[in-house]
Amino acid sequence: MGVMDETGLITTHPDGCPRCWWAGLDPVYVAYHDTEWGVPEYDSRALYEKLILDGFQAGLSWITILRRREGFRRAFVGFEPERIARFTEADVARLMADTGIIRNRAKIVGTIAGARAWLAIEERGPGFSRFLWDFVDGRPIQSGALSRGDIATETEVSQQIAKALKAEGFSFCGPTIVHAFMQATGMVNDHLTGCHRHAACAALAPA
């Protein structure tokens, strides 16, 4: 795990950069923390992929999903909703036999239903990205968390988004999962203020 100070920063990385506690010292986690987590994502397809992967994480650790992400991308044809929406029961059976992913039938079926919901949102406009980002007026929330105790597991906004997603036909998208998704996609910047990525992600917010 490394040496953690009282705020939740890991301060023993070889490069000397302080990082949020959850990244630890695992190279896979550190790379994800430094290059993806908290970076504002506005691409509709990429947002679908991240929402689905967060749903698959339910009951598991995120590192488990990260290590299988390429397997997920292969199994779910690059997370292209237009193709996943056409999946049949034969595809469900194929996925249930795929050891490269988490073989949970309810989550697989939910992924297909989510692809169809994504298409419906895209077709009626203005699209899945706007559908999500409008909840935060198009700009990342800057939480300004000083320590890990300041970081919420769910918020009023994540509750609102979860309710809206479920109404559209998505599953495995409760408020806690949605908040984790918001953190991952930069809808909220929850890097601790002492983390070397906090200011960098804040600077990515649109003017």
Side-chain angles (χ1 to χ4, degrees):
M1 180 66 180
V3 177
M4 183 172 64
D5 71 12
E6 67 278 3
T7 69
L9 292 173
I10 300 296
T11 57
T12 53
H13 291 273
D15 60 8
C17 293
R19 291 176 172 85
C20 302
W21 77 96
W22 57 264
L25 299 177
D26 186 303
V28 174
Y29 244 168
V30 170
Y32 174 71
H33 171 276
D34 285 4
T35 63
E36 295 186 56
W37 198 78
V39 174
E41 177 62 76
Y42 291 94
D43 179 78
S44 287
R45 188 217 59 80
L47 286 166
Y48 166 78
E49 174 179 342
K50 291 189 176 186
L51 180 63
I52 294 302
L53 289 177
D54 269 310
F56 268 97
Q57 182 200 353
L60 303 168
S61 65
W62 181 239
I63 193 67
T64 299
I65 303 300
L66 275 182
R67 288 174 175 158
R68 298 189 183 203
R69 183 158 57 168
E70 291 310 314
F72 274 105
R73 286 172 171 167
R74 173 188 48 75
F76 286 102
V77 292
F79 283 102
E80 296 181 24
E82 298 91 340
R83 298 176 66 184
I84 296 172
R86 298 194 297 270
F87 277 13
T88 65
E89 187 59 37
D91 292 294
V92 174
R94 168 181 62 81
L95 291 164
M96 285 296 294
D98 192 330
T99 58
I101 66 171
I102 305 301
R103 293 176 289 177
N104 180 303
R105 182 179 178 84
K107 292 178 181 180
I108 290 169
V109 171
T111 299
I112 299 169
R116 293 167 183 165
W118 182 95
L119 280 177
I121 293 170
E122 285 287 308
E123 287 171 359
R124 72 170 184 257
F128 190 58
S129 180
R130 279 281 303 277
F131 171 82
L132 293 168
W133 278 96
D134 278 354
F135 282 94
V136 294
D137 296 325
R139 291 181 55 83
I141 297 168
Q142 306 296 326
S143 70
L146 298 174
S147 69
R148 62 186 297 181
D150 296 329
I151 296 179
T153 56
E154 66 175 82
T155 64
E156 184 177 343
V157 177
S158 76
Q159 293 166 1
Q160 293 170 354
I161 295 175
K163 183 178 180 179
L165 285 168
K166 288 179 180 178
E168 293 289 343
F170 286 89
S171 58
F172 295 96
C173 57
T176 300
I177 289 174
V178 167
H179 187 65
F181 165 76
M182 293 175 69
Q183 293 170 314
T185 59
M187 292 181 71
V188 56
N189 180 4
D190 258 347
H191 283 286
L192 298 178
T193 54
C195 172
H196 82 105
R197 288 293 296 164
H198 174 81
C201 288
L204 295 172

